[in-house]
Amino acid sequence: MSDFTYLSAAGLSSVGTPTLWAVTIVGVLVLLVLDFIVTRRPHEVTMREALGWSVFYVALPLAFGGWVWARYGSQQGVEYLTGYLVEKSLSVDNLFVFMLLLAAFAVPSALAQRVLLYGIAGALVLRGVFIALGAAALQTLDFAFLLFAIILLATAVKLLRDALSGHEQEVDIATMRSVRLLRKFMPVTDEYHGPHLTVRLKNGRRALTPMALVVVAVLATDVVFAVDSVPAVYGITEDPYLVFATNAFALLGLRALYFVLHAALARLVHLSYGLAVILAFIGVKLGLHWAHGIWSGVPEIPTLASLGVIIGVLVIVTLTSLRATRKAGPGHREVIERR
């Protein structure tokens, strides 16, 4: 254990001191509040605005990674950068689902960024909960790494099966459990009322707006995303602080990234294949790590090698996707409603 390494509350080796945790959480909250201030007045996002925020939210985590590298050493630096790349890749896949939900609920373009921001805020809370649960599992369960490996391999198989199914699927709002549940308790208006989640009807009764329905639907998908992403980054680093930092930085830039990639998202037709490979690879890495703890002769996959594999896969699927859609025009990606 280095001079800069501490024990987390769960007993895991971590660079996260109480002060560093506090500063990071406050920083994330400040950025989140700033985003809410920026979106307080609904407006259509221009490409210039989206690019500006996207550059900021890429430069910030990279600068933070440079600080981690300089402060705590190359091992922690590589773990952070690799974990951030994994989380950013998975967050791009999340954007496909968000795009489908926004289209299914016919969200006005001026309100899209506020919906995304609600989803990001909810995702941050859920990731924090799952990260804490994951840290507790690693500390108390001998087979936690094996369990995480099985989750990632099962997710990879599902992604691959969905990608190979060959038919486009759409969100059916009427069958979504979260929507059905809300409609049982409160009436829902037919039209949006700006960013308001509820309005008062003429009879004095409070009613939900479609804005509330789409926000709940996005928050429901956040639960599934957390189940996938948290074990994935724990496959890169066992440090709960670095896991939280990679998740937070990857999520904070989603609002702006959505508008930058909106036109290009449909062209990444092979992304699901790439993510399936990445999750399967990390699942195997976790399985080997678990086995190494029992049989020392079992080899482990170095984090630097993992970084190379992940970058290579993302480059390949991006190039093949662009080539596949160059002549056929924008493709249609299959996005499955995840309950």
Side-chain angles (χ1 to χ4, degrees), residues 146-159:
L146 180 61
L147 178 62
F148 287 176
I150 293 173
I151 291 174
L152 293 181
L153 289 172
T155 303
V157 170
K158 182 182 182 302
L159 279 175

Side-chain angles (χ1 to χ4, degrees), residues 275-309:
L275 291 178
V277 172
I278 290 172
L279 291 179
F281 172 78
I282 299 176
V284 171
K285 183 178 185 295
L286 281 171
L288 290 175
H289 181 72
W290 169 80
H292 180 79
I294 300 176
W295 304 285
S296 58
V298 176
E300 293 191 271
I301 301 176
T303 303
L304 192 59
S306 301
L307 178 60
V309 170

Side-chain angles (χ1 to χ4, degrees), residues 52-183:
W53 281 106
S54 293
V55 170
F56 171 75
Y57 276 119
V58 170
L60 182 62
L62 291 180
F64 181 80
W67 177 79
V68 170
W69 191 302
R71 174 71 173 172
Y72 301 108
S74 59
Q75 178 66 27
Q76 282 77 11
V78 171
E79 288 180 0
Y80 166 81
L81 291 173
T82 305
Y84 173 72
L85 184 59
V86 169
E87 289 303 309
K88 203 64 179 177
S89 303
L90 292 172
S91 70
V92 172
D93 192 50
N94 297 1
L95 289 181
F96 284 107
V97 178
F98 291 159
M99 182 174 65
L100 185 60
L101 287 171
L102 291 175
F105 283 92
V107 177
S109 56
L111 298 177
Q113 59 177 339
R114 178 50 67 98
V115 173
L116 294 171
L117 198 51
Y118 278 123
I120 292 169
L124 283 170
V125 173
L126 288 169
R127 298 293 172 87
V129 172
F130 276 79
I131 288 168
L133 292 176
L138 291 178
Q139 182 64 19
T140 59
L141 301 178
D142 294 336
F143 57 88
F145 281 113
L146 180 61
L147 178 62
F148 287 176
I150 293 173
I151 291 174
L152 293 181
L153 289 172
T155 303
V157 170
K158 182 182 182 302
L159 279 175
L160 185 60
R161 186 176 64 247
D162 291 341
L164 293 173
S165 62
H167 62 279
E168 187 173 346
Q169 302 194 35
E170 299 179 352
V171 168
D172 184 358
I173 297 175
T175 63
M176 295 184 69
R177 295 171 185 168
S178 56
V179 172
R180 294 203 310 266
L181 181 62
L182 283 177
R183 283 176 169 164

